[in-house]
């Protein structure tokens, strides 16, 4: 089979050339660039708002931490005072017990009958 020469000859297909200024795809890219240009400003504003909020939270946490530290100091001081008072109470209880033993010894020597009264004394 012999085909004529024109079957083997390359004929380029014609394309529809759209100039840059009229190309809708390129214009759409340019529009998105302007939107992205605006986006960093919005992001910067949001970041600035978040940074201010973070600063306020840090200040509040510092204030609360200082307040908690002061309250812990007062609690420790009160605990020390309670411990001191407990020791004083123990000393007085031991003294009272010794005095009660001595009193019973004296009552026994003098043969004074023991009659518990108010409070068991």
């Amino acid at each position: 089979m012999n085909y004529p020469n024109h079957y083997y000859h390359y004929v380029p297909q014609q394309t529809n050339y759209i100039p840059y200024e009229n190309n809708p795809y390129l214009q759409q890219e340019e529009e998105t660039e302007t939107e992205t240009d605006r986006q960093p400003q919005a992001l910067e504003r949001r970041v600035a708002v978040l940074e201010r909020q973070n600063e306020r939270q840090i200040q509040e946490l510092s204030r609360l931490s200082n307040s908690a530290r002061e309250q812990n100091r007062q609690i420790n001081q009160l605990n020390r005072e309670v411990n001191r008072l407990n020791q004083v109470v123990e000393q007085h209880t031991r003294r009272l017990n010794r005095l009660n033993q001595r009193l019973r010894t004296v009552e026994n020597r003098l043969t004074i009958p023991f009659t518990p009264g108010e409070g068991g004394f």
Side-chain angles (χ1 to χ4, degrees):
M1 269 194 210
N2 287 336
Y3 292 106
N5 254 352
H6 70 276
Y7 284 111
Y8 296 106
H9 188 271
Y10 173 72
V11 178
Q13 295 179 351
Q14 185 176 2
T15 59
N16 295 334
Y17 174 74
I18 301 174
Y20 179 80
E21 297 82 25
N22 297 331
N23 190 336
Y25 297 108
L26 292 178
Q27 287 176 356
Q28 187 178 17
E29 285 179 12
E30 287 176 1
E31 288 174 10
T32 29
E33 284 178 15
T34 57
E35 288 175 14
T36 56
D37 287 343
R38 281 184 253 137
Q39 196 173 21
Q41 292 173 354
L43 287 175
E44 287 175 12
R45 283 194 305 273
R46 181 68 177 142
V47 166
V49 166
L50 290 174
E51 285 175 345
R52 285 192 301 273
Q53 184 180 12
N54 191 30
E55 280 298 317
R56 284 193 303 270
Q57 288 175 346
I58 288 171
Q59 289 173 352
E60 181 66 12
L61 285 174
S62 296
R63 187 188 67 76
L64 291 173
S65 177
N66 291 338
S67 174
R69 192 177 300 116
E70 177 61 23
Q71 288 176 354
N72 283 335
R73 187 190 65 74
Q74 290 173 352
I75 288 170
N76 288 335
Q77 183 179 354
L78 290 172
N79 281 335
R80 284 192 298 273
E81 184 65 15
V82 166
N83 288 337
R84 187 188 71 74
L85 291 173
N86 280 336
Q87 290 173 351
V88 169
V89 167
E90 287 177 16
Q91 285 176 343
H92 286 293
T93 302
R94 285 193 301 271
R95 286 179 187 160
L96 280 174
N97 286 336
R98 283 196 307 272
L99 285 172
N100 279 333
Q101 282 180 335
R102 291 171 70 188
L103 179 62
R104 286 200 186 104
T105 303
V106 168
E107 287 174 342
N108 286 337
R109 284 188 187 157
L110 297 174
T111 61
I112 301 172
F114 173 73
T115 55
E118 185 178 326
F121 293 105

